[in-house]
Amino acid sequence: MKQSTGDRFFGIAVYMCVALITLIVLYPLVYVLSASFSDPAAILRGELWLFPIDPTIESYKSVFQNEDVWIGFRNTFLYTTLGTAFNLLLSIMVAYPLSRKDFYGRNVLTIFLVFTMFFSGGMVPTYLLVRDLGMLNTIWAVIVPGAVSVYNVVIIRTFFQNIPNELRESAELDGCSNIQYLIKILLPLSKPVIAVMVLFYGVGQWNAFFDALIYLTDRNLFPLQLFLREMLIQDQLSEMVQVSDSTLDNHALTVEGLKYAVVVVASLPMLVLYPFLQRFFVKGVMIGSIKG
């Protein structure tokens, strides 16, 4: 079909907007990556704008020689793996009965769940609950409080609802129980939405630091994000830098390079994971969101 002049101008405007938004999103990422490989002196002089200047990997050497970074990586990997599995298990267990039209009271339970999306108990009551359950300074204090996201439960429930009921009825005629139907039939058909949930929960667990900030005081349990917070916000990079044999100016230069290196190190695992799961996004999220 031949496009009118107005349609062509509209198409050009859309492409220009998309290009501008893409540039706005990508530039900070490219800048941080380039800065992590650049001479810190050039960064402080404001000479860096896109590509690395006087490339060096000294900042990365300093990062990986720090023991806190390895402790943070170990704990964050544990929290992300265990937490994502726990989140996914609970979300499916909640979403499956809510997807069944023959489940009595599912509308009332859905209303209760949605209510928690707008109103919560607050920080102090939640802290007291975690304390009384004996979870302070344990890995469960990081994993359990945010175990179920209602938003994700709604997406999974809606995805389940789009699978024909005739499939379940046929399975029941063959003697299949609810658990067998869920594990052997429903979950294999729900790989797209499960992949998306793994990404949602995984990224959330990897970047989470607030629960750990409140509930953890043992540094051996700190996730990587808490150590990065200390480095970037509280300016505790002096612990990572050998300042005894250098001047204050050299210390400032090294700190400037480390800031960008630790940001890249913390973001890299999620950036690597995303390409493997993004192909499930359209099918997993869109089908799960429609009629939600």
Side-chain angles (χ1 to χ4, degrees), residues 83-179:
T84 301
F86 194 59
N87 296 145
L88 200 58
L89 175 65
L90 293 184
S91 297
I92 291 174
M93 291 175 64
V94 174
Y96 175 61
L98 294 178
S99 69
R100 295 279 297 268
K101 294 182 179 178
D102 55 346
F103 179 58
Y104 181 76
R106 68 169 190 152
N107 292 332
V108 176
L109 291 176
T110 301
I111 291 173
F112 280 132
L113 287 174
V114 173
F115 182 82
T116 64
M117 296 177 68
F118 302 99
F119 304 98
S120 66
M123 183 186 301
V124 175
T126 305
Y127 177 85
L128 295 177
L129 177 63
V130 172
R131 185 199 62 182
D132 293 343
L133 291 175
M135 293 193 298
L136 291 181
N137 266 329
T138 67
I139 63 173
W140 304 112
V142 180
I143 295 173
V144 173
V148 175
S149 165
V150 177
Y151 174 80
N152 291 340
V153 168
V154 172
I155 291 178
I156 299 173
R157 183 208 64 173
T158 309
F159 192 94
F160 287 167
Q161 286 177 338
N162 283 280
I163 295 177
N165 284 328
E166 290 77 8
L167 197 61
R168 179 177 57 81
E169 293 170 356
S170 298
E172 288 178 350
L173 288 176
D174 291 336
C176 193
S177 66
N178 278 322
I179 298 298

Side-chain angles (χ1 to χ4, degrees), residues 10-30:
F10 179 75
I12 293 173
V14 169
Y15 280 114
M16 291 179 65
C17 288
V18 172
L20 179 61
I21 294 172
T22 303
L23 183 63
I24 293 174
V25 172
L26 286 182
Y27 180 72
L29 301 177
V30 175

Side-chain angles (χ1 to χ4, degrees), residues 259-272:
K259 286 181 179 178
Y260 296 102
V262 293
V263 170
V264 173
V265 168
S267 306
L268 192 59
M270 290 298 106
L271 293 177
V272 172

Side-chain angles (χ1 to χ4, degrees), residues 34-35 37-40 42-43 45-49 51-56:
S34 298
F37 286 103
S38 297
D39 181 6
I43 302 173
R45 289 195 300 267
E47 298 175 356
L48 176 68
W49 65 278
F51 297 110
I53 297 178
D54 299 331
T56 176

